[in-house]
Amino acid sequence: MAGKGANSSATVSTCTVTLGKEEGSKKRPAWVSLIRKTKTLENGTLRVFLVAKVVVNGEMIEYYDISGCYILRPWAMSIWEIMQTFFDAEIKKMKIKNCYFPLFVSSGVLQKEKDHIEGFAPEVAWVTKSGESELEMPIAIRPTSETVMYPYFSKWIRGHRDLPLRLNQWCNVVRWEFSNPTPFIRSREFLWQEGHTAFATKEEADTEVLEILELYRRIYEEFLAVPVIKGKKSEHEKFAGGLYTTTVEAFVPNTGRGVQGATSHCLGQNFAKMFEINFENEKGEKCMVWQNSWAYTTRTIGVMVMVHGDDKGLVLPPKVASVQVIVIPVPYKDANTQGIFDACAATVKTLNEAGFRAEADYRDNYSPGWKYSHWEMKGVPLRIEIGPKDLANNQVRAVRRDNSAKSDIQMASLVEGVKEMLDNVQQSLFDAAKQKRDACIQVVNTWEEFAEALGQKKMILAPWCDEEEVEKDVKARTKGEMGAAKSLCTPFDQPELPEGTLCFASGTPAKKWTYWGRSY
């Protein structure tokens, strides 16, 4: 479902760090010191600790023995499930129904829409053998499902009463990436939802495109606390075979790269023509349907990690954190250890009953300091410490993951205090991310200004003539070790374009403002 923009290469460096277990030690785990020494990488790469190390040590993924494939551990799957619960409920309000189509697609069907398959051909994985026997006809593993589903749309749609047909499926797809597979960002197999819908009119299709795009914005901004820009892809970057592509674009200030967050495509009538998806309207006339497709993937998790992660590890927004509050007993010598443990258990019980996802860490082979570092690495939004003084004062000590701010909360107002802190963490993460993103946006008017801003890893807003050949020329002129620049999106919220404004790249009259930059 992702357009051509999803296929852009990015150089990614990785290395291996072993998570040391310092049982009973008061020192921070060894990997924390190593991570803090690994602050930046050159050449536009992802910072090592954010992608390769944090997601492993944070117990989000485990590397698999096939390159580009990763095991999603419960810490990551719970984030996906929270987003899935939200999105699934919202599309059901829109009368969109879930279904499931097979993983395999015949070569004849896959190649029926030429422009479409050309966009995916290098990434298609093929099954060619069964046991030791060669298959008579190779079978493709779906890179996306347009060609899998649309022969059956043609079968199911006969008249106007069969419309709209609105389906969604939660599944996996395979795209055999060869350029630097990276956890969540560029993997050979990933999870997604993909919606496929058919309408009698273009107006209905256009309306749905924007309704779905708004849901994607909400996933990023309301759940993942990542600011995005809603806009339209260029003709060169749109979904292969589609009419137009809308997108929510994120930006990672630490690496100076854009990320295509999720896309909602109007396919027009191209696929309807190829697969003969026709219907008889109220006047008895034969018409072709108008189609959409839209998707978001587990890439969303990678974007969140890159935007919020710091030199301690993951930083999870409370709305998607598997554990929102971790409670840690801090017993000192000769303290009432059992009383402290009982207070921890009571705290967890109270928070769970109030709807929070809270747990306690009672492990006796790790020191409190080690536990602090461990749960910081995993990104838990709020840590509650209970020691002898807290027990005596009938309070808890709460520590925020995002800014390390500490405050004491009386047990009598525990639920209210925790809710206020978590709400504040969620909003603070979004505000900080937006401030950093906005600080990276630079408006330019000339090629010289563009080149300078690109060198400074900016997200560039420039006047453009909207010519595909000019966009190709920009890519060619900026090609290098860090990757070429390209158009990210034309924002729906357009600044005023003064009369006589020229395109930054061609010098011809500009038609619109468009965001440019390097991207994943």
Side-chain angles (χ1 to χ4, degrees):
M1 301 291 293
K4 292 180 183 178
N7 298 328
S8 299
S9 62
T11 305
V12 180
S13 297
T14 60
C15 63
T16 301
V17 177
T18 302
L19 172 59
K21 292 186 177 181
E22 302 186 30
E23 300 192 9
S25 172
K26 294 183 179 180
K27 298 179 180 178
R28 292 186 181 274
W31 44 265
V32 173
S33 298
L34 178 57
I35 285 170
R36 288 180 172 176
K37 293 176 183 176
T38 316
K39 294 256 183 163
T40 58
L41 288 176
E42 298 300 325
N43 202 27
T45 59
L46 302 181
R47 290 185 296 177
V48 170
F49 73 87
L50 274 180
V51 174
K53 306 289 82 59
V54 169
V55 293
V56 174
N57 293 335
E59 299 178 356
M60 296 189 87
I61 66 111
E62 187 61 71
Y63 281 87
Y64 195 56
D65 63 356
I66 297 176
S67 176
C69 297
Y70 309 95
I71 300 165
L72 297 185
R73 300 183 66 178
W75 204 246
M77 277 302 297
S78 63
I79 296 173
W80 181 246
E81 288 170 346
I82 289 168
M83 294 188 292
Q84 182 181 30
T85 297
F86 161 75
F87 189 81
D88 201 60
E90 292 298 317
I91 61 174
K92 283 176 179 173
K93 293 177 187 176
M94 299 168 64
K95 307 303 181 185
I96 297 168
K97 295 178 170 59
N98 284 326
C99 63
Y100 184 80
F101 279 73
L103 175 66
F104 302 111
V105 54
S106 67
S107 58
V109 170
L110 185 66
Q111 295 170 13
K112 195 165 185 176
E113 211 299 313
K114 183 180 178 182
D115 290 340
H116 174 68
I117 189 55
E118 281 184 355
F120 291 101
E123 301 172 350
V124 176
W126 295 88
V127 179
T128 58
K129 294 180 69 174
S130 172
E132 295 300 319
S133 303
E134 295 286 339
L135 294 182
E136 185 175 335
M137 182 70 69
I139 297 172
I141 300 175
R142 63 176 170 225
T144 181
S145 296
E146 281 77 8
T147 57
V148 177
M149 300 173 77
Y150 295 166
Y152 299 92
F153 276 41
S154 176
K155 181 178 181 180
W156 298 335
I157 297 172
R158 287 288 180 261
H160 63 89
R161 295 180 182 85
D162 299 321
L163 295 172
L165 178 59
R166 309 175 80 178
L167 301 179
N168 175 72
Q169 68 172 350
W170 298 91
C171 62
N172 62 338
V173 291
V174 173
R175 296 182 185 176
W176 210 253
E177 296 274 7
F178 286 98
S179 56
N180 303 297
T182 308
F184 295 118
I185 300 300
R186 301 185 66 82
S187 56
R188 288 176 170 169
E189 179 190 10
F190 53 87
L191 302 180
W192 73 355
Q193 61 70 217
E194 54 174 325
H196 295 269
T197 55
F199 299 91
T201 67
K202 183 176 184 292
E203 289 72 23
E204 292 174 283
D206 289 338
T207 297
E208 185 198 67
V209 165
L210 297 182
E211 288 175 344
I212 293 297
L213 195 70
E214 173 61 12
L215 293 182
Y216 292 152
R217 182 203 65 80
R218 291 183 63 189
I219 285 173
Y220 273 98
E221 296 195 344
E222 296 179 14
F223 285 80
L224 301 175
V226 173
V228 292
I229 295 170
K230 293 201 294 186
K232 187 177 179 181
K233 287 289 188 182
S234 69
E235 284 296 302
H236 185 63
E237 294 292 335
K238 75 178 183 180
F239 182 65
L243 181 62
Y244 65 85
T245 290
T246 65
T247 179
V248 287
E249 292 286 321
F251 188 77
V252 183
N254 292 322
T255 61
R257 290 182 182 271
V259 183
Q260 179 178 284
T263 47
S264 182
H265 316 285
C266 179
L267 301 180
Q269 295 182 308
N270 190 35
F271 286 90
K273 181 179 180 180
M274 293 296 106
F275 291 93
E276 299 181 352
I277 310 174
N278 303 312
F279 71 100
E280 188 177 276
N281 67 16
E282 294 92 333
K283 299 177 181 179
E285 300 167 334
K286 185 179 179 181
C287 304
M288 287 190 296
V289 300
W290 292 84
Q291 291 178 264
N292 293 338
S293 65
W294 28 270
Y296 79 92
T297 78
T298 40
R299 168 181 272 211
T300 52
I301 301 174
V303 176
M304 175 199 70
V305 170
M306 290 191 293
V307 168
H308 298 309
D310 62 18
D311 63 355
K312 294 181 182 179
L314 297 170
V315 179
L316 301 182
K319 281 194 175 181
V320 295
S322 176
V323 175
Q324 296 171 310
V325 183
I326 186 67
V327 181
I328 298 177
V330 190
Y332 297 113
K333 187 176 181 180
D334 300 326
N336 180 3
T337 302
Q338 188 58 50
I340 290 173
F341 276 34
D342 290 345
C344 289
T347 298
V348 171
K349 184 174 185 292
T350 298
L351 293 175
N352 288 161
E353 289 175 348
F356 298 105
R357 297 184 290 275
E359 295 181 5
D361 187 344
Y362 297 114
R363 292 177 292 177
D364 60 6
N365 57 335
Y366 294 99
S367 69
W370 194 98
K371 293 177 185 179
Y372 297 166
S373 294
H374 174 74
W375 293 105
E376 284 176 350
M377 179 69 180
K378 289 172 71 69
V380 174
L382 193 64
R383 181 176 78 239
I384 284 181
E385 306 165 7
I386 301 179
K389 290 183 179 179
D390 303 303
L391 188 64
N393 294 328
N394 200 29
Q395 67 180 28
V396 299
R397 168 64 59 89
V399 184
R400 289 171 50 156
R401 172 63 181 87
D402 62 324
N403 61 12
S404 301
K406 300 178 180 180
S407 60
D408 295 327
I409 304 174
Q410 292 297 310
M411 287 297 292
S413 57
L414 177 67
V415 171
E416 295 80 2
V418 167
K419 182 182 186 305
E420 182 179 353
M421 291 188 77
L422 290 178
D423 288 346
N424 191 273
V425 170
Q426 184 79 28
Q427 188 62 47
S428 294
L429 284 174
F430 177 80
D431 291 344
K434 187 174 187 301
Q435 184 178 19
K436 290 177 183 177
R437 193 276 312 271
D438 290 349
C440 290
I441 295 175
Q442 186 160 330
V443 179
V444 307
N445 287 281
T446 67
W447 179 261
E448 291 72 25
E449 292 173 346
F450 177 86
E452 182 180 356
L454 188 66
Q456 295 170 351
K457 301 181 179 180
K458 300 291 186 179
M459 186 179 193
I460 304 165
L461 185 61
W464 182 38
C465 61
D466 197 21
E467 294 294 336
E468 188 169 348
E469 289 305 313
V470 173
E471 180 172 8
K472 290 178 181 178
D473 184 58
V474 170
K475 280 189 174 184
R477 293 166 71 183
T478 57
K479 191 174 183 180
E481 281 188 14
M482 295 175 67
K486 66 175 188 177
S487 68
L488 302 176
C489 75
T490 295
F492 292 146
D493 186 10
Q494 281 280 305
E496 181 183 355
L497 187 66
E499 187 176 349
T501 300
L502 302 179
C503 171
F504 79 99
S506 67
T508 58
K511 297 179 180 178
K512 61 176 73 171
W513 289 95
T514 297
Y515 282 104
W516 298 76
R518 296 189 175 93
S519 74
Y520 292 109

